[in-house]
Amino acid sequence: MSPLSALPGLPDPVIVAKGYTHPDKLVSTEWLAANLGAPSLRLLECNEDVLLYDVEHIPGAQKLDWHVDLNDQVERDYITRTGFEELLRARGIDEHTPVVLYGDKNNWWACYALWVFELFGFDNVRILDGGRAKWLAEGRPTTGERPSAVRSSYVARERHDSRIRAYFADTKAHMEAGLPMVDVRSPQEYTGEKLHMPDYPQEGTLRGGHIPGARSMPWAKAAEADGSFKNADALRGLYEGELGLSAASPVVTYCRIGERSSHTWFVLTYLLGYTNVRNYDGSWTEWGNAVRAPIRKGDTP
């Protein structure tokens, strides 16, 4: 039994009722509100807007800045094993510490952080269903105080990317083999009308469009209005009913820089139980700028 499973009320019955394959990878706002004082629990907030944490956050939450805490500051890549080890030690986390991640944007960056954690084989981590927005909408407590943590002596594993990460060459081979790819961006990005989501600066790539063969399924279709994940039946209707995927499908997900596609990676992997899903984190920022990378415009995959 994992340390998180040993905490009271888990698996969370609110999550179990939604029919997911791995309900242990989520907790509800109800569960978290009842367990905020658990001394072994670590709560991490990871937002697109890194200033939100300083305005208010869930009591006991520590800040995780995706810009500087998860990414190498020189090479476009993630932190090294040593960097990940220090990240968790400073926050009082080791392999026995249950971690709950949450954030803004319906947990884009929380799912992104969970995906990075799993590059290092750290899987004692869950997502708060509905994230920051649902917690605030329910009028639950927040604070501006930063908690302190006693350093741990965590020893990180070496990073292994191949199981859940696709590089450019992997994605190109996947495309050439005619295997399923899910483009989770907005419809306007998929067709090539825009280079980024509506209301964001239209910059970062030289060409718009999508990878030939990729099917469009915007990430937001997996979320309810309150930011929580749709139940398993509704999700299967999207990914299996509309896209024709199955749990054994070898799937590559992508977006613009890998954060929205990590949300879909999480849905497919943990909520629907898919066993072979990789996130192409280079995504359209890499593909749309690569010389002679094939691009298709319009609605046709």
Side-chain angles (χ1 to χ4, degrees):
M1 180 178 290
S2 74
L4 188 56
S5 297
L7 290 170
L10 290 177
D12 185 338
V14 174
I15 302 301
V16 170
K18 297 173 81 169
Y20 303 136
T21 303
H22 299 286
D24 55 312
K25 297 302 288 188
L26 284 171
V27 296
S28 66
T29 52
E30 293 91 337
W31 181 90
L32 183 59
N35 289 275
L36 277 181
S40 62
L41 182 65
R42 294 292 180 272
L43 187 58
L44 302 179
E45 177 171 314
C46 189
N47 299 317
E48 179 187 59
D49 183 348
V50 297
L51 300 178
L52 287 177
Y53 175 88
D54 298 318
V55 175
E56 59 180 337
H57 51 267
I58 299 175
Q62 298 180 77
K63 184 177 182 178
L64 189 62
D65 186 330
W66 68 271
H67 292 90
V68 299
D69 292 331
L70 300 178
N71 284 271
D72 186 279
Q73 297 303 292
V74 177
E75 182 178 357
R76 189 183 173 192
D77 197 5
Y78 300 104
I79 52 177
T80 63
R81 184 193 66 81
T82 302
F84 185 71
E85 188 172 272
E86 174 56 27
L87 176 71
L88 267 61
R89 285 183 178 185
R91 286 161 178 77
I93 298 168
D94 63 22
E95 64 273 16
H96 303 296
T97 308
V99 176
V100 172
L101 281 159
Y102 76 96
D104 65 350
K105 300 291 184 182
N106 296 353
N107 280 325
W108 285 356
W109 294 101
C111 290
Y112 177 87
L114 181 145
W115 180 78
V116 173
F117 276 38
E118 292 206 6
L119 293 176
F120 295 92
F122 189 95
D123 60 3
N124 195 8
V125 57
R126 279 76 175 173
I127 297 293
L128 173 64
D129 197 22
R132 179 184 171 95
K134 190 171 191 292
W135 184 272
L136 293 176
E138 293 171 348
R140 299 189 184 276
T142 61
T143 184
E145 296 181 5
R146 289 174 172 261
S148 58
V150 177
R151 284 181 63 87
S152 77
S153 56
Y154 173 64
V155 177
R157 302 177 191 175
E158 291 294 337
R159 203 182 84 196
H160 293 290
D161 295 359
S162 60
R163 183 178 64 87
I164 61 172
R165 185 183 189 189
Y167 289 92
F168 180 90
D170 302 321
T171 304
K172 188 170 185 290
H174 198 86
M175 174 200 72
E176 291 171 344
L179 296 173
M181 290 180 289
V182 183
D183 184 319
V184 317
R185 299 174 299 161
S186 65
Q188 297 95 327
E189 290 170 276
Y190 181 81
T191 62
E193 176 188 347
K194 292 185 179 295
L195 299 177
H196 201 336
M197 290 178 290
D199 303 322
Y200 278 70
Q202 297 300 307
E203 58 189 21
T205 53
L206 296 173
R207 299 289 184 271
H210 58 270
I211 300 173
R215 301 283 301 278
S216 175
M217 182 57 71
W219 70 273
K221 289 190 174 184
E224 300 284 8
D226 65 0
S228 62
F229 292 101
K230 290 181 176 177
N231 66 38
D233 286 342
L235 294 173
R236 289 192 185 94
L238 293 173
Y239 297 100
E240 296 173 9
E242 295 186 28
L243 296 189
L245 303 180
S246 69
S249 299
V251 181
V252 167
T253 64
Y254 74 91
C255 59
R256 180 175 173 270
I257 58 173
E259 88 293 4
R260 288 175 283 173
S261 50
S262 67
H263 187 276
T264 300
W265 169 86
F266 180 85
V267 167
L268 294 176
T269 300
Y270 288 116
L271 305 190
L272 297 184
Y274 283 41
T275 56
N276 187 5
V277 184
R278 291 180 293 167
N279 183 25
Y280 171 36
D281 60 286
S283 281
W284 199 254
T285 298
E286 179 176 40
W287 194 278
N289 284 320
V291 175
R292 291 188 173 177
I295 290 172
R296 185 163 292 160
K297 292 181 177 289
D299 296 322
T300 304

